[in-house]
PDB file of all heavy atoms in Angstrom:
ATOM      1  N   GLU C   1     115.334-274.555  48.685  1.00 94.00           N
ATOM      2  CA  GLU C   1     115.575-273.126  48.894  1.00 94.00           C
ATOM      3  C   GLU C   1     116.716-272.913  49.895  1.00 94.00           C
ATOM      4  O   GLU C   1     117.558-272.027  49.712  1.00 94.00           O
ATOM      5  CB  GLU C   1     114.301-272.449  49.419  1.00 94.00           C
ATOM      6  CG  GLU C   1     113.168-272.385  48.419  1.00 94.00           C
ATOM      7  CD  GLU C   1     113.365-271.314  47.353  1.00 94.00           C
ATOM      8  OE1 GLU C   1     113.586-270.142  47.701  1.00 94.00           O
ATOM      9  OE2 GLU C   1     113.318-271.670  46.163  1.00 94.00           O
ATOM     10  N   GLU C   2     116.732-273.740  50.935  1.00 96.00           N
ATOM     11  CA  GLU C   2     117.773-273.595  51.948  1.00 96.00           C
ATOM     12  C   GLU C   2     119.146-273.928  51.379  1.00 96.00           C
ATOM     13  O   GLU C   2     120.145-273.310  51.762  1.00 96.00           O
ATOM     14  CB  GLU C   2     117.460-274.478  53.162  1.00 96.00           C
ATOM     15  CG  GLU C   2     116.212-274.074  53.916  1.00 96.00           C
ATOM     16  CD  GLU C   2     116.234-272.613  54.344  1.00 96.00           C
ATOM     17  OE1 GLU C   2     117.294-272.139  54.799  1.00 96.00           O
ATOM     18  OE2 GLU C   2     115.194-271.933  54.216  1.00 96.00           O
ATOM     19  N   TRP C   3     119.230-274.915  50.477  1.00 95.00           N
ATOM     20  CA  TRP C   3     120.518-275.214  49.828  1.00 95.00           C
ATOM     21  C   TRP C   3     121.033-273.984  49.093  1.00 95.00           C
ATOM     22  O   TRP C   3     122.230-273.672  49.147  1.00 95.00           O
ATOM     23  CB  TRP C   3     120.368-276.351  48.825  1.00 95.00           C
ATOM     24  CG  TRP C   3     119.950-277.664  49.380  1.00 95.00           C
ATOM     25  CD1 TRP C   3     119.959-278.057  50.688  1.00 95.00           C
ATOM     26  CD2 TRP C   3     119.446-278.771  48.627  1.00 95.00           C
ATOM     27  NE1 TRP C   3     119.493-279.337  50.795  1.00 95.00           N
ATOM     28  CE2 TRP C   3     119.176-279.799  49.556  1.00 95.00           C
ATOM     29  CE3 TRP C   3     119.195-278.998  47.282  1.00 95.00           C
ATOM     30  CZ2 TRP C   3     118.669-281.038  49.150  1.00 95.00           C
ATOM     31  CZ3 TRP C   3     118.695-280.214  46.881  1.00 95.00           C
ATOM     32  CH2 TRP C   3     118.434-281.231  47.805  1.00 95.00           C
ATOM     33  N   LEU C   4     120.142-273.307  48.382  1.00 96.00           N
ATOM     34  CA  LEU C   4     120.541-272.141  47.604  1.00 96.00           C
ATOM     35  C   LEU C   4     120.967-270.984  48.514  1.00 96.00           C
ATOM     36  O   LEU C   4     121.957-270.304  48.257  1.00 96.00           O
ATOM     37  CB  LEU C   4     119.398-271.704  46.692  1.00 96.00           C
ATOM     38  CG  LEU C   4     119.074-272.667  45.536  1.00 96.00           C
ATOM     39  CD1 LEU C   4     117.755-272.302  44.888  1.00 96.00           C
ATOM     40  CD2 LEU C   4     120.191-272.652  44.501  1.00 96.00           C
ATOM     41  N   LYS C   5     120.230-270.775  49.579  1.00 96.00           N
ATOM     42  CA  LYS C   5     120.578-269.697  50.508  1.00 96.00           C
ATOM     43  C   LYS C   5     121.904-269.983  51.202  1.00 96.00           C
ATOM     44  O   LYS C   5     122.730-269.077  51.398  1.00 96.00           O
ATOM     45  CB  LYS C   5     119.456-269.510  51.531  1.00 96.00           C
ATOM     46  CG  LYS C   5     118.167-268.972  50.935  1.00 96.00           C
ATOM     47  CD  LYS C   5     117.050-268.936  51.975  1.00 96.00           C
ATOM     48  CE  LYS C   5     115.731-268.478  51.352  1.00 96.00           C
ATOM     49  NZ  LYS C   5     114.618-268.517  52.343  1.00 96.00           N
ATOM     50  N   SER C   6     122.117-271.232  51.575  1.00 97.00           N
ATOM     51  CA  SER C   6     123.379-271.603  52.215  1.00 97.00           C
ATOM     52  C   SER C   6     124.553-271.452  51.248  1.00 97.00           C
ATOM     53  O   SER C   6     125.638-271.005  51.632  1.00 97.00           O
ATOM     54  CB  SER C   6     123.296-273.042  52.726  1.00 97.00           C
ATOM     55  OG  SER C   6     124.497-273.431  53.348  1.00 97.00           O
ATOM     56  N   SER C   7     124.330-271.816  49.968  1.00 97.00           N
ATOM     57  CA  SER C   7     125.369-271.624  48.959  1.00 97.00           C
ATOM     58  C   SER C   7     125.710-270.149  48.809  1.00 97.00           C
ATOM     59  O   SER C   7     126.886-269.768  48.693  1.00 97.00           O
ATOM     60  CB  SER C   7     124.910-272.191  47.613  1.00 97.00           C
ATOM     61  OG  SER C   7     124.749-273.593  47.669  1.00 97.00           O
ATOM     62  N   THR C   8     124.683-269.305  48.808  1.00 97.00           N
ATOM     63  CA  THR C   8     124.888-267.860  48.716  1.00 97.00           C
ATOM     64  C   THR C   8     125.781-267.374  49.847  1.00 97.00           C
ATOM     65  O   THR C   8     126.697-266.569  49.642  1.00 97.00           O
ATOM     66  CB  THR C   8     123.537-267.128  48.754  1.00 97.00           C
ATOM     67  OG1 THR C   8     122.732-267.561  47.658  1.00 97.00           O
ATOM     68  CG2 THR C   8     123.722-265.626  48.685  1.00 97.00           C
ATOM     69  N   ASP C   9     125.542-267.879  51.047  1.00 96.00           N
ATOM     70  CA  ASP C   9     126.337-267.472  52.196  1.00 96.00           C
ATOM     71  C   ASP C   9     127.781-267.947  52.056  1.00 96.00           C
ATOM     72  O   ASP C   9     128.718-267.225  52.409  1.00 96.00           O
ATOM     73  CB  ASP C   9     125.718-268.029  53.478  1.00 96.00           C
ATOM     74  CG  ASP C   9     126.256-267.354  54.724  1.00 96.00           C
ATOM     75  OD1 ASP C   9     126.337-266.114  54.743  1.00 96.00           O
ATOM     76  OD2 ASP C   9     126.619-268.071  55.678  1.00 96.00           O
ATOM     77  N   SER C  10     127.974-269.156  51.503  1.00 97.00           N
ATOM     78  CA  SER C  10     129.333-269.658  51.273  1.00 97.00           C
ATOM     79  C   SER C  10     130.075-268.774  50.278  1.00 97.00           C
ATOM     80  O   SER C  10     131.257-268.453  50.474  1.00 97.00           O
ATOM     81  CB  SER C  10     129.293-271.097  50.762  1.00 97.00           C
ATOM     82  OG  SER C  10     128.825-271.986  51.749  1.00 97.00           O
ATOM     83  N   PHE C  11     129.389-268.385  49.207  1.00 97.00           N
ATOM     84  CA  PHE C  11     130.016-267.511  48.214  1.00 97.00           C
ATOM     85  C   PHE C  11     130.392-266.169  48.839  1.00 97.00           C
ATOM     86  O   PHE C  11     131.486-265.641  48.610  1.00 97.00           O
ATOM     87  CB  PHE C  11     129.081-267.286  47.024  1.00 97.00           C
ATOM     88  CG  PHE C  11     128.691-268.529  46.277  1.00 97.00           C
ATOM     89  CD1 PHE C  11     127.439-268.635  45.683  1.00 97.00           C
ATOM     90  CD2 PHE C  11     129.555-269.597  46.167  1.00 97.00           C
ATOM     91  CE1 PHE C  11     127.069-269.773  44.987  1.00 97.00           C
ATOM     92  CE2 PHE C  11     129.198-270.742  45.465  1.00 97.00           C
ATOM     93  CZ  PHE C  11     127.946-270.822  44.873  1.00 97.00           C
ATOM     94  N   ARG C  12     129.478-265.625  49.621  1.00 95.00           N
ATOM     95  CA  ARG C  12     129.732-264.313  50.243  1.00 95.00           C
ATOM     96  C   ARG C  12     130.969-264.381  51.132  1.00 95.00           C
ATOM     97  O   ARG C  12     131.848-263.502  51.062  1.00 95.00           O
ATOM     98  CB  ARG C  12     128.516-263.881  51.067  1.00 95.00           C
ATOM     99  CG  ARG C  12     128.685-262.537  51.771  1.00 95.00           C
ATOM    100  CD  ARG C  12     127.546-262.258  52.739  1.00 95.00           C
ATOM    101  NE  ARG C  12     127.457-263.265  53.787  1.00 95.00           N
ATOM    102  CZ  ARG C  12     128.244-263.307  54.861  1.00 95.00           C
ATOM    103  NH1 ARG C  12     129.213-262.405  55.026  1.00 95.00           N
ATOM    104  NH2 ARG C  12     128.087-264.242  55.774  1.00 95.00           N
ATOM    105  N   ARG C  13     131.071-265.396  51.966  1.00 94.00           N
ATOM    106  CA  ARG C  13     132.218-265.520  52.869  1.00 94.00           C
ATOM    107  C   ARG C  13     133.524-265.721  52.098  1.00 94.00           C
ATOM    108  O   ARG C  13     134.596-265.321  52.549  1.00 94.00           O
ATOM    109  CB  ARG C  13     132.011-266.676  53.850  1.00 94.00           C
ATOM    110  CG  ARG C  13     130.911-266.431  54.875  1.00 94.00           C
ATOM    111  CD  ARG C  13     131.013-267.421  56.024  1.00 94.00           C
ATOM    112  NE  ARG C  13     130.994-268.786  55.542  1.00 94.00           N
ATOM    113  CZ  ARG C  13     129.896-269.522  55.377  1.00 94.00           C
ATOM    114  NH1 ARG C  13     128.709-268.989  55.662  1.00 94.00           N
ATOM    115  NH2 ARG C  13     129.964-270.758  54.958  1.00 94.00           N
ATOM    116  N   ALA C  14     133.429-266.375  50.932  1.00 95.00           N
ATOM    117  CA  ALA C  14     134.618-266.619  50.124  1.00 95.00           C
ATOM    118  C   ALA C  14     135.032-265.406  49.305  1.00 95.00           C
ATOM    119  O   ALA C  14     136.080-265.429  48.651  1.00 95.00           O
ATOM    120  CB  ALA C  14     134.372-267.808  49.197  1.00 95.00           C
ATOM    121  N   GLY C  15     134.221-264.351  49.319  1.00 95.00           N
ATOM    122  CA  GLY C  15     134.556-263.162  48.547  1.00 95.00           C
ATOM    123  C   GLY C  15     134.155-263.262  47.086  1.00 95.00           C
ATOM    124  O   GLY C  15     134.721-262.573  46.233  1.00 95.00           O
ATOM    125  N   ILE C  16     133.196-264.123  46.788  1.00 97.00           N
ATOM    126  CA  ILE C  16     132.670-264.226  45.427  1.00 97.00           C
ATOM    127  C   ILE C  16     131.383-263.408  45.361  1.00 97.00           C
ATOM    128  O   ILE C  16     130.408-263.730  46.048  1.00 97.00           O
ATOM    129  CB  ILE C  16     132.399-265.688  45.042  1.00 97.00           C
ATOM    130  CG1 ILE C  16     133.702-266.494  45.082  1.00 97.00           C
ATOM    131  CG2 ILE C  16     131.761-265.776  43.657  1.00 97.00           C
ATOM    132  CD1 ILE C  16     133.518-267.982  44.845  1.00 97.00           C
ATOM    133  N   PRO C  17     131.342-262.341  44.578  1.00 97.00           N
ATOM    134  CA  PRO C  17     130.134-261.507  44.508  1.00 97.00           C
ATOM    135  C   PRO C  17     128.941-262.324  44.009  1.00 97.00           C
ATOM    136  O   PRO C  17     129.083-263.182  43.136  1.00 97.00           O
ATOM    137  CB  PRO C  17     130.508-260.414  43.508  1.00 97.00           C
ATOM    138  CG  PRO C  17     131.999-260.451  43.408  1.00 97.00           C
ATOM    139  CD  PRO C  17     132.404-261.859  43.679  1.00 97.00           C
ATOM    140  N   VAL C  18     127.773-262.046  44.552  1.00 97.00           N
ATOM    141  CA  VAL C  18     126.575-262.820  44.225  1.00 97.00           C
ATOM    142  C   VAL C  18     125.456-261.894  43.777  1.00 97.00           C
ATOM    143  O   VAL C  18     125.136-260.916  44.460  1.00 97.00           O
ATOM    144  CB  VAL C  18     126.083-263.637  45.438  1.00 97.00           C
ATOM    145  CG1 VAL C  18     124.923-264.550  45.026  1.00 97.00           C
ATOM    146  CG2 VAL C  18     127.210-264.450  46.059  1.00 97.00           C
ATOM    147  N   PHE C  19     124.847-262.232  42.639  1.00 97.00           N
ATOM    148  CA  PHE C  19     123.556-261.635  42.291  1.00 97.00           C
ATOM    149  C   PHE C  19     122.496-262.673  42.615  1.00 97.00           C
ATOM    150  O   PHE C  19     122.521-263.782  42.080  1.00 97.00           O
ATOM    151  CB  PHE C  19     123.471-261.259  40.816  1.00 97.00           C
ATOM    152  CG  PHE C  19     122.141-260.636  40.467  1.00 97.00           C
ATOM    153  CD1 PHE C  19     121.951-259.277  40.623  1.00 97.00           C
ATOM    154  CD2 PHE C  19     121.077-261.410  40.014  1.00 97.00           C
ATOM    155  CE1 PHE C  19     120.711-258.692  40.331  1.00 97.00           C
ATOM    156  CE2 PHE C  19     119.846-260.837  39.722  1.00 97.00           C
ATOM    157  CZ  PHE C  19     119.665-259.472  39.885  1.00 97.00           C
ATOM    158  N   ILE C  20     121.586-262.325  43.494  1.00 96.00           N
ATOM    159  CA  ILE C  20     120.533-263.266  43.895  1.00 96.00           C
ATOM    160  C   ILE C  20     119.178-262.742  43.443  1.00 96.00           C
ATOM    161  O   ILE C  20     118.870-261.555  43.610  1.00 96.00           O
ATOM    162  CB  ILE C  20     120.548-263.516  45.423  1.00 96.00           C
ATOM    163  CG1 ILE C  20     119.528-264.596  45.811  1.00 96.00           C
ATOM    164  CG2 ILE C  20     120.336-262.235  46.204  1.00 96.00           C
ATOM    165  CD1 ILE C  20     119.679-265.109  47.225  1.00 96.00           C
ATOM    166  N   ASP C  21     118.396-263.613  42.820  1.00 95.00           N
ATOM    167  CA  ASP C  21     117.045-263.265  42.392  1.00 95.00           C
ATOM    168  C   ASP C  21     116.065-263.953  43.336  1.00 95.00           C
ATOM    169  O   ASP C  21     116.053-265.180  43.430  1.00 95.00           O
ATOM    170  CB  ASP C  21     116.797-263.728  40.956  1.00 95.00           C
ATOM    171  CG  ASP C  21     115.408-263.360  40.485  1.00 95.00           C
ATOM    172  OD1 ASP C  21     115.113-262.157  40.386  1.00 95.00           O
ATOM    173  OD2 ASP C  21     114.602-264.284  40.249  1.00 95.00           O
ATOM    174  N   ARG C  22     115.265-263.182  44.025  1.00 93.00           N
ATOM    175  CA  ARG C  22     114.380-263.721  45.051  1.00 93.00           C
ATOM    176  C   ARG C  22     112.940-263.871  44.575  1.00 93.00           C
ATOM    177  O   ARG C  22     112.057-264.168  45.371  1.00 93.00           O
ATOM    178  CB  ARG C  22     114.418-262.828  46.298  1.00 93.00           C
ATOM    179  CG  ARG C  22     115.805-262.678  46.906  1.00 93.00           C
ATOM    180  CD  ARG C  22     115.794-261.793  48.140  1.00 93.00           C
ATOM    181  NE  ARG C  22     117.132-261.504  48.632  1.00 93.00           N
ATOM    182  CZ  ARG C  22     117.832-262.294  49.437  1.00 93.00           C
ATOM    183  NH1 ARG C  22     117.294-263.428  49.859  1.00 93.00           N
ATOM    184  NH2 ARG C  22     119.043-261.945  49.836  1.00 93.00           N
ATOM    185  N   SER C  23     112.693-263.680  43.295  1.00 91.00           N
ATOM    186  CA  SER C  23     111.324-263.800  42.790  1.00 91.00           C
ATOM    187  C   SER C  23     111.038-265.236  42.352  1.00 91.00           C
ATOM    188  O   SER C  23     111.956-266.018  42.087  1.00 91.00           O
ATOM    189  CB  SER C  23     111.100-262.839  41.623  1.00 91.00           C
ATOM    190  OG  SER C  23     111.991-263.120  40.570  1.00 91.00           O
ATOM    191  N   GLU C  24     109.783-265.575  42.268  1.00 92.00           N
ATOM    192  CA  GLU C  24     109.394-266.958  41.940  1.00 92.00           C
ATOM    193  C   GLU C  24     109.782-267.363  40.522  1.00 92.00           C
ATOM    194  O   GLU C  24     110.320-268.455  40.327  1.00 92.00           O
ATOM    195  CB  GLU C  24     107.888-267.134  42.150  1.00 92.00           C
ATOM    196  CG  GLU C  24     107.412-268.551  41.910  1.00 92.00           C
ATOM    197  CD  GLU C  24     105.942-268.720  42.205  1.00 92.00           C
ATOM    198  OE1 GLU C  24     105.338-267.805  42.804  1.00 92.00           O
ATOM    199  OE2 GLU C  24     105.377-269.773  41.843  1.00 92.00           O
ATOM    200  N   PRO C  25     109.551-266.552  39.496  1.00 92.00           N
ATOM    201  CA  PRO C  25     109.955-266.964  38.141  1.00 92.00           C
ATOM    202  C   PRO C  25     111.475-266.998  38.003  1.00 92.00           C
ATOM    203  O   PRO C  25     112.201-266.385  38.792  1.00 92.00           O
ATOM    204  CB  PRO C  25     109.349-265.881  37.245  1.00 92.00           C
ATOM    205  CG  PRO C  25     108.363-265.143  38.096  1.00 92.00           C
ATOM    206  CD  PRO C  25     108.851-265.254  39.489  1.00 92.00           C
ATOM    207  N   VAL C  26     111.948-267.683  36.982  1.00 94.00           N
ATOM    208  CA  VAL C  26     113.385-267.655  36.706  1.00 94.00           C
ATOM    209  C   VAL C  26     113.783-266.234  36.283  1.00 94.00           C
ATOM    210  O   VAL C  26     112.932-265.423  35.920  1.00 94.00           O
ATOM    211  CB  VAL C  26     113.774-268.660  35.599  1.00 94.00           C
ATOM    212  CG1 VAL C  26     113.524-270.090  36.046  1.00 94.00           C
ATOM    213  CG2 VAL C  26     113.038-268.358  34.305  1.00 94.00           C
ATOM    214  N   LEU C  27     115.066-265.957  36.355  1.00 95.00           N
ATOM    215  CA  LEU C  27     115.576-264.640  35.965  1.00 95.00           C
ATOM    216  C   LEU C  27     115.048-264.236  34.592  1.00 95.00           C
ATOM    217  O   LEU C  27     115.088-265.020  33.653  1.00 95.00           O
ATOM    218  CB  LEU C  27     117.095-264.676  35.941  1.00 95.00           C
ATOM    219  CG  LEU C  27     117.792-264.421  37.284  1.00 95.00           C
ATOM    220  CD1 LEU C  27     119.213-264.973  37.261  1.00 95.00           C
ATOM    221  CD2 LEU C  27     117.819-262.923  37.569  1.00 95.00           C
ATOM    222  N   ARG C  28     114.595-263.020  34.485  1.00 94.00           N
ATOM    223  CA  ARG C  28     113.911-262.560  33.281  1.00 94.00           C
ATOM    224  C   ARG C  28     114.838-262.566  32.063  1.00 94.00           C
ATOM    225  O   ARG C  28     116.069-262.461  32.191  1.00 94.00           O
ATOM    226  CB  ARG C  28     113.302-261.176  33.495  1.00 94.00           C
ATOM    227  CG  ARG C  28     114.290-260.071  33.680  1.00 94.00           C
ATOM    228  CD  ARG C  28     113.591-258.715  33.833  1.00 94.00           C
ATOM    229  NE  ARG C  28     112.888-258.603  35.117  1.00 94.00           N
ATOM    230  CZ  ARG C  28     111.550-258.599  35.219  1.00 94.00           C
ATOM    231  NH1 ARG C  28     110.793-258.703  34.148  1.00 94.00           N
ATOM    232  NH2 ARG C  28     110.988-258.472  36.390  1.00 94.00           N
ATOM    233  N   ASP C  29     114.230-262.671  30.896  1.00 96.00           N
ATOM    234  CA  ASP C  29     114.961-262.667  29.631  1.00 96.00           C
ATOM    235  C   ASP C  29     115.877-261.438  29.541  1.00 96.00           C
ATOM    236  O   ASP C  29     115.483-260.322  29.918  1.00 96.00           O
ATOM    237  CB  ASP C  29     113.993-262.633  28.440  1.00 96.00           C
ATOM    238  CG  ASP C  29     113.247-263.943  28.267  1.00 96.00           C
ATOM    239  OD1 ASP C  29     113.683-264.948  28.847  1.00 96.00           O
ATOM    240  OD2 ASP C  29     112.222-263.945  27.552  1.00 96.00           O
ATOM    241  N   ALA C  30     117.071-261.677  29.017  1.00 97.00           N
ATOM    242  CA  ALA C  30     118.046-260.624  28.692  1.00 97.00           C
ATOM    243  C   ALA C  30     118.624-259.919  29.916  1.00 97.00           C
ATOM    244  O   ALA C  30     119.342-258.928  29.765  1.00 97.00           O
ATOM    245  CB  ALA C  30     117.436-259.590  27.742  1.00 97.00           C
ATOM    246  N   TRP C  31     118.334-260.416  31.110  1.00 97.00           N
ATOM    247  CA  TRP C  31     118.895-259.782  32.302  1.00 97.00           C
ATOM    248  C   TRP C  31     120.418-259.944  32.260  1.00 97.00           C
ATOM    249  O   TRP C  31     120.925-261.038  32.098  1.00 97.00           O
ATOM    250  CB  TRP C  31     118.335-260.399  33.567  1.00 97.00           C
ATOM    251  CG  TRP C  31     118.687-259.595  34.794  1.00 97.00           C
ATOM    252  CD1 TRP C  31     119.715-259.811  35.657  1.00 97.00           C
ATOM    253  CD2 TRP C  31     118.009-258.431  35.264  1.00 97.00           C
ATOM    254  NE1 TRP C  31     119.739-258.857  36.630  1.00 97.00           N
ATOM    255  CE2 TRP C  31     118.695-257.992  36.425  1.00 97.00           C
ATOM    256  CE3 TRP C  31     116.900-257.708  34.814  1.00 97.00           C
ATOM    257  CZ2 TRP C  31     118.298-256.867  37.140  1.00 97.00           C
ATOM    258  CZ3 TRP C  31     116.506-256.581  35.538  1.00 97.00           C
ATOM    259  CH2 TRP C  31     117.193-256.173  36.685  1.00 97.00           C
ATOM    260  N   PRO C  32     121.188-258.862  32.384  1.00 98.00           N
ATOM    261  CA  PRO C  32     122.644-258.951  32.221  1.00 98.00           C
ATOM    262  C   PRO C  32     123.322-259.617  33.415  1.00 98.00           C
ATOM    263  O   PRO C  32     123.133-259.198  34.564  1.00 98.00           O
ATOM    264  CB  PRO C  32     123.070-257.486  32.089  1.00 98.00           C
ATOM    265  CG  PRO C  32     122.001-256.710  32.792  1.00 98.00           C
ATOM    266  CD  PRO C  32     120.723-257.469  32.620  1.00 98.00           C
ATOM    267  N   LEU C  33     124.113-260.638  33.135  1.00 98.00           N
ATOM    268  CA  LEU C  33     124.815-261.412  34.165  1.00 98.00           C
ATOM    269  C   LEU C  33     126.260-261.626  33.712  1.00 98.00           C
ATOM    270  O   LEU C  33     126.657-262.722  33.328  1.00 98.00           O
ATOM    271  CB  LEU C  33     124.120-262.764  34.391  1.00 98.00           C
ATOM    272  CG  LEU C  33     122.654-262.709  34.835  1.00 98.00           C
ATOM    273  CD1 LEU C  33     122.013-264.079  34.723  1.00 98.00           C
ATOM    274  CD2 LEU C  33     122.545-262.176  36.272  1.00 98.00           C
ATOM    275  N   PRO C  34     127.070-260.582  33.743  1.00 98.00           N
ATOM    276  CA  PRO C  34     128.434-260.705  33.213  1.00 98.00           C
ATOM    277  C   PRO C  34     129.320-261.559  34.107  1.00 98.00           C
ATOM    278  O   PRO C  34     129.119-261.641  35.323  1.00 98.00           O
ATOM    279  CB  PRO C  34     128.919-259.249  33.197  1.00 98.00           C
ATOM    280  CG  PRO C  34     128.173-258.594  34.316  1.00 98.00           C
ATOM    281  CD  PRO C  34     126.820-259.236  34.314  1.00 98.00           C
ATOM    282  N   ASP C  35     130.294-262.208  33.504  1.00 98.00           N
ATOM    283  CA  ASP C  35     131.357-262.911  34.232  1.00 98.00           C
ATOM    284  C   ASP C  35     130.812-263.949  35.208  1.00 98.00           C
ATOM    285  O   ASP C  35     131.346-264.129  36.309  1.00 98.00           O
ATOM    286  CB  ASP C  35     132.236-261.910  34.996  1.00 98.00           C
ATOM    287  CG  ASP C  35     132.857-260.870  34.079  1.00 98.00           C
ATOM    288  OD1 ASP C  35     133.187-261.217  32.929  1.00 98.00           O
ATOM    289  OD2 ASP C  35     132.994-259.701  34.510  1.00 98.00           O
ATOM    290  N   THR C  36     129.758-264.658  34.797  1.00 98.00           N
ATOM    291  CA  THR C  36     129.164-265.663  35.677  1.00 98.00           C
ATOM    292  C   THR C  36     130.031-266.915  35.703  1.00 98.00           C
ATOM    293  O   THR C  36     130.241-267.564  34.679  1.00 98.00           O
ATOM    294  CB  THR C  36     127.742-266.020  35.224  1.00 98.00           C
ATOM    295  OG1 THR C  36     126.925-264.844  35.243  1.00 98.00           O
ATOM    296  CG2 THR C  36     127.118-267.062  36.145  1.00 98.00           C
ATOM    297  N   ILE C  37     130.528-267.257  36.896  1.00 98.00           N
ATOM    298  CA  ILE C  37     131.345-268.465  37.057  1.00 98.00           C
ATOM    299  C   ILE C  37     130.615-269.556  37.831  1.00 98.00           C
ATOM    300  O   ILE C  37     130.996-270.727  37.760  1.00 98.00           O
ATOM    301  CB  ILE C  37     132.685-268.153  37.757  1.00 98.00           C
ATOM    302  CG1 ILE C  37     132.444-267.532  39.141  1.00 98.00           C
ATOM    303  CG2 ILE C  37     133.555-267.255  36.886  1.00 98.00           C
ATOM    304  CD1 ILE C  37     133.698-267.441  40.006  1.00 98.00           C
ATOM    305  N   LEU C  38     129.568-269.182  38.549  1.00 98.00           N
ATOM    306  CA  LEU C  38     128.794-270.148  39.334  1.00 98.00           C
ATOM    307  C   LEU C  38     127.319-269.791  39.194  1.00 98.00           C
ATOM    308  O   LEU C  38     126.932-268.639  39.429  1.00 98.00           O
ATOM    309  CB  LEU C  38     129.203-270.111  40.808  1.00 98.00           C
ATOM    310  CG  LEU C  38     130.651-270.512  41.122  1.00 98.00           C
ATOM    311  CD1 LEU C  38     131.062-270.014  42.499  1.00 98.00           C
ATOM    312  CD2 LEU C  38     130.816-272.033  41.036  1.00 98.00           C
ATOM    313  N   TYR C  39     126.508-270.768  38.817  1.00 98.00           N
ATOM    314  CA  TYR C  39     125.061-270.540  38.720  1.00 98.00           C
ATOM    315  C   TYR C  39     124.345-271.719  39.364  1.00 98.00           C
ATOM    316  O   TYR C  39     124.615-272.888  39.043  1.00 98.00           O
ATOM    317  CB  TYR C  39     124.592-270.422  37.273  1.00 98.00           C
ATOM    318  CG  TYR C  39     123.088-270.589  37.143  1.00 98.00           C
ATOM    319  CD1 TYR C  39     122.231-269.533  37.443  1.00 98.00           C
ATOM    320  CD2 TYR C  39     122.523-271.814  36.788  1.00 98.00           C
ATOM    321  CE1 TYR C  39     120.855-269.690  37.376  1.00 98.00           C
ATOM    322  CE2 TYR C  39     121.148-271.979  36.716  1.00 98.00           C
ATOM    323  CZ  TYR C  39     120.318-270.919  37.012  1.00 98.00           C
ATOM    324  OH  TYR C  39     118.948-271.088  36.956  1.00 98.00           O
ATOM    325  N   PHE C  40     123.404-271.415  40.256  1.00 97.00           N
ATOM    326  CA  PHE C  40     122.561-272.438  40.856  1.00 97.00           C
ATOM    327  C   PHE C  40     121.151-271.880  40.992  1.00 97.00           C
ATOM    328  O   PHE C  40     120.954-270.773  41.506  1.00 97.00           O
ATOM    329  CB  PHE C  40     123.104-272.854  42.238  1.00 97.00           C
ATOM    330  CG  PHE C  40     124.436-273.537  42.137  1.00 97.00           C
ATOM    331  CD1 PHE C  40     125.610-272.794  42.173  1.00 97.00           C
ATOM    332  CD2 PHE C  40     124.516-274.911  41.952  1.00 97.00           C
ATOM    333  CE1 PHE C  40     126.842-273.409  42.041  1.00 97.00           C
ATOM    334  CE2 PHE C  40     125.744-275.527  41.813  1.00 97.00           C
ATOM    335  CZ  PHE C  40     126.914-274.784  41.863  1.00 97.00           C
ATOM    336  N   GLY C  41     120.188-272.633  40.495  1.00 95.00           N
ATOM    337  CA  GLY C  41     118.806-272.188  40.561  1.00 95.00           C
ATOM    338  C   GLY C  41     117.842-273.327  40.330  1.00 95.00           C
ATOM    339  O   GLY C  41     118.235-274.473  40.131  1.00 95.00           O
TER     340      GLY C  41
END
């Protein structure tokens, strides 16, 4: 979890917008995620 949170902070500082899902299940079906260039989960 800490690796993911630290990565999020790196993206934020670099000016890469982040959508973060904080719930236990994986991101729900059909959730729109346009222009995704980096995914970690």
Side-chain angles (χ1 to χ4, degrees):
E1 292 284 306
E2 295 306 318
W3 298 345
L4 291 168
K5 292 174 184 177
S6 180
S7 295
T8 300
D9 196 46
S10 292
F11 300 147
R12 179 189 60 79
R13 291 195 305 270
I16 299 174
V18 186
F19 180 87
I20 185 168
D21 181 64
R22 301 180 187 276
S23 60
E24 183 176 348
V26 295
L27 275 159
R28 67 178 70 250
D29 289 344
W31 191 263
L33 301 167
D35 302 325
T36 300
I37 59 169
L38 297 162
Y39 164 79
F40 294 89

